Amino acid sequence: MFNKFNFLISKISAKSNSRPEISGVFVEPSNTVATDSFRLIEVSNVDDGQNQNFKPFILESKGVEALLKAELFKIKDQTDGAVGFGDEKQSVAVLKISGEYPKYKDIMQEK
C-alpha cells in the first residue's frame, strides 16, 4: 500500500507547532499529503485492496523519519494515538497528531 515516496513528502511539512495538523503527513486510503501552508504535495498509494475500514490519520514527521530509516511501510496495527509499521523482524510506532487536516481537495484543480 505505501512506499518510501508516500513518506518522503514529510520533508516539506510545516516545521511550526502553531498548527500541528499541518506539521505531519496526512494518510488516506488513496494517498498521502503534506504541506507547509504554501506548498502541497500529494502522492498516490498503491491499491492493494486493504483500503476497507481505513480511517485517515495524521502522522508526526519525526516518526515518519524513523519509518524512512527503517524502510518499514506496511501498517501492522493502529490505536487511537499511534500507528505501528513493520514486518516479522522489526516494527516502528509513529504517533498520530490529533486534529483535522485542512480540506485541501477544495483548493486542488480538477484534472
Side-chain angles (χ1 to χ4, degrees), residues 17-100:
N17 286 333
S18 62
R19 292 192 57 205
E21 62 276 1
I22 66 168
S23 66
V25 175
F26 183 52
V27 181
E28 296 183 291
S30 60
N31 55 46
T32 53
V33 180
T35 185
D36 63 0
S37 77
F38 298 102
R39 303 171 292 174
L40 183 135
I41 187 166
E42 178 182 53
V43 177
S44 297
N45 297 344
V46 176
D47 184 8
D48 63 357
Q50 294 183 9
N51 291 342
Q52 298 149 350
N53 302 325
F54 189 99
K55 293 182 182 173
F57 52 85
I58 307 169
L59 293 175
E60 285 189 342
S61 289
K62 287 183 181 181
V64 172
E65 290 174 20
L67 286 180
L68 289 166
K69 263 187 182 175
E71 296 185 2
L72 299 170
F73 308 117
K74 183 176 181 180
I75 295 176
K76 288 181 80 172
D77 55 17
Q78 191 173 161
T79 66
D80 288 340
V83 180
F85 291 83
D87 55 24
E88 308 80 39
K89 297 178 184 176
Q90 59 181 340
S91 63
V92 173
V94 181
L95 294 177
K96 290 181 182 179
I97 296 173
S98 62
E100 188 174 328

